Amino acid sequence: MTTDSHAVHTDAGDHGHDVHGGAAHGSLKSYLIGFGLSVVLTAVPFWLVMTGAITDKAITALIVLVLAAIQIVVHMVYFLHMNTRSENGWTMMAMIFTVVMVVIALTGSLWVMHHLNVNMMPVHDMSQMP
Amino acid sequence: MTVAAAPAQNAEPIFHVIDEHAHPEGASTMLGFWIYLMSDCLIFAMLFATYGVLGGNYAAGPAPKDLFDLKLVALNTTMLLLSSITYGFAMLTMEKSKLGATQFWLAVTGLFGLAFLGIELTEFHHMIHEGATPQRSAFLSSFFTLVGTHGLHVTFGLVWLVTLMVQSARYGLTAANRRRLMCLSMFWHFLDVVWIGVFTFVYLLGVLR
C-alpha cells in the first residue's frame, strides 16, 4: 500500500510539470540551428554596412532592419524556446502584450517627436520675410 | 427536523473552493521570471525610443560615423552570440545531470561575457578619451544610457552566473539550482536579443546615416 501510494505520488510529481505546461526545453540540434541562423543573420548586415555592397543607403537600412527582426524571432524560438503551449500559452500572451506596448511607445515617440522637430524648425524662406 | 435544518441556515454560504489545489514549489517561477523579462523589455523600449528621438542631436559634436568602429562591434557581437550558444550547452548538460560539464560550459559562458564587457569598456574608454562623453551631446547621453544599461545587465548576469556556479558546486544540481539556472538562461538569451536591437539601431544604422 505504501509503495503503491509512493509510486502514484512520484508519477503525479513527474507529470505535474507537463500538466501545468511548464517551460519548454531545447535539444542540441535546435541550439545549433539557432546558432547557425544567428551567425548568418548577424554577418550579413555587418558585411552590407561595412563594405557598402549596396550603394542605396535606404535599401541597406531596410535589409538590415528586416534581418534584425528575423534574428529576434530566431532567438525567441531556438534559444528562449517560445511557443504557444509553454505555461498554457501565458508566456506568449505576455509577450504579445509587451510587443504591442513596445510598438505603441516606439512609433508614438518617434512620430510625435519627428513632427515636433519639423514644426519647430525655423523657416528660412526669405520671400515670406517682411 | 427543524433542529437539524437550523445550523445549515445559519452557516455562512461559501462561494469558492475551500481546498487549495496543489502548487508545487517553483511551478510559477518560470512564468513570473518571463513577466519580469517582459517588463525589462519595456525599459529597453523606452531607452530605444529616447535614443531614436535624441540620436540625431550631435550639438556640433562627433557623430556615429566618427566614433563607432564596426570591426570592434562585430567582435563584441560574436562574443555575446558565442556566450549564448555555450549557455545552451550548459543547459543541455544540466538536463543530463552532468555537473562537471555544466560547470565547464557556465565558465566558458562567463569568459565570453567578460570578453564582451571588456571590449565594451575599451570602446567607452576610447570614446571618453576623445572627448565624446555623455555630457557632450544628446546623442551621446542617450547612447551611453542605452548601451550602458545593457552592459550593466550583462554585469549583473555575470555576478549571478558566478553565484550559481558556487551554489551548484556546493549543493549540486538540485531542483532549486536547476530552476535558477533556467531563469539565468532566459535572462542571458534575453540580453542577446536586446543586443540585436542595439547593434542594428545604434551601430549599423548609425554608421549608415
Side-chain angles (χ1 to χ4, degrees):
Chain A
M1 190 60 205
T2 42
T3 44
D4 195 12
S5 64
H6 182 71
V8 168
H9 180 72
T10 44
D11 195 47
D14 286 344
H15 288 278
H17 205 57
D18 292 331
V19 170
H20 271 264
H25 302 284
S27 63
L28 180 64
K29 197 182 155 197
S30 74
Y31 274 114
L32 288 179
I33 292 173
F35 182 69
L37 285 173
S38 300
V39 168
V40 173
L41 290 167
T42 305
V44 169
F46 269 97
W47 175 77
L48 278 178
V49 174
M50 284 165 91
T51 59
I54 299 171
T55 41
D56 192 340
K57 283 185 176 179
I59 293 175
T60 313
L62 194 68
I63 294 174
V64 166
L65 282 174
V66 170
L67 289 178
I70 297 173
Q71 197 182 349
I72 287 174
V73 174
V74 165
H75 274 243
M76 286 285 175
V77 172
Y78 289 100
F79 290 159
L80 283 164
H81 317 304
M82 274 302 291
N83 57 50
T84 49
R85 296 178 308 281
S86 95
E87 304 281 358
N88 294 330
W90 284 110
T91 51
M92 186 58 92
M93 287 304 280
M95 197 188 70
I96 291 169
F97 172 71
T98 311
V99 168
V100 170
M101 295 296 288
V102 167
V103 167
I104 291 173
L106 276 179
T107 54
S109 309
L110 295 177
W111 186 40
V112 168
M113 295 309 287
H114 173 74
H115 278 268
L116 185 77
N117 276 346
V118 169
N119 291 331
M120 296 292 278
M121 209 70 85
V123 182
H124 294 291
D125 192 356
M126 295 309 284
S127 64
Q128 297 290 318
M129 291 288 172
Chain B
M1 198 63 188
T2 43
V3 179
Q9 281 171 353
N10 290 345
E12 285 277 312
I14 296 165
F15 294 110
H16 56 88
V17 182
I18 312 167
D19 294 325
E20 181 78 4
H21 64 274
H23 283 292
E25 193 193 337
S28 54
T29 307
M30 286 304 151
L31 180 59
F33 194 76
W34 180 256
I35 289 170
Y36 154 69
L37 284 183
M38 292 297 102
S39 69
D40 218 14
C41 190
L42 291 179
I43 292 180
F44 278 108
M46 295 308 117
L47 293 176
F48 272 112
T50 311
Y51 183 82
V53 169
L54 300 174
N57 302 357
Y58 309 130
K65 234 178 238 176
D66 315 317
L67 290 173
F68 298 155
D69 180 7
L70 281 188
K71 280 178 196 158
L72 207 62
V73 181
L75 185 67
N76 227 357
T77 308
T78 312
M79 290 300 140
L80 211 55
L81 201 52
L82 283 172
S83 82
S84 246
I85 186 73
T86 54
Y87 204 110
F89 292 153
M91 293 308 286
L92 290 174
T93 48
M94 185 195 82
E95 275 162 33
K96 289 174 188 159
S97 301
K98 292 178 182 165
L99 178 62
T102 309
Q103 294 281 50
F104 169 75
W105 286 118
L106 287 178
V108 173
T109 307
L111 288 179
F112 278 128
L114 265 184
F116 172 84
L117 271 185
I119 294 168
E120 189 163 77
L121 286 176
T122 312
E123 187 198 15
F124 281 5
H125 176 77
H126 184 67
M127 285 172 74
I128 289 169
H129 191 68
E130 282 186 342
T133 57
Q135 300 97 313
R136 182 64 190 82
S137 63
F139 150 63
L140 283 166
S141 303
S142 54
F143 167 81
F144 276 104
T145 314
L146 172 58
V147 183
T149 305
H150 179 269
L152 266 183
H153 274 76
V154 176
T155 311
F156 283 114
L158 281 174
V159 172
W160 191 3
L161 185 85
V162 172
T163 312
L164 286 187
M165 281 178 73
V166 173
Q167 286 271 326
S168 302
R170 266 199 190 172
Y171 303 107
L173 293 171
T174 58
N177 276 343
R178 282 165 195 258
R179 198 165 61 234
R180 290 165 190 152
L181 282 168
M182 281 175 73
C183 283
L184 181 57
S185 161
M186 287 158 79
F187 186 73
W188 200 260
H189 293 309
F190 168 75
L191 288 184
D192 209 1
V193 172
V194 174
W195 184 252
I196 298 170
V198 172
F199 82 67
T200 302
F201 282 105
V202 177
Y203 290 102
L204 291 181
L205 294 187
V207 169
L208 212 58
R209 178 146 62 180

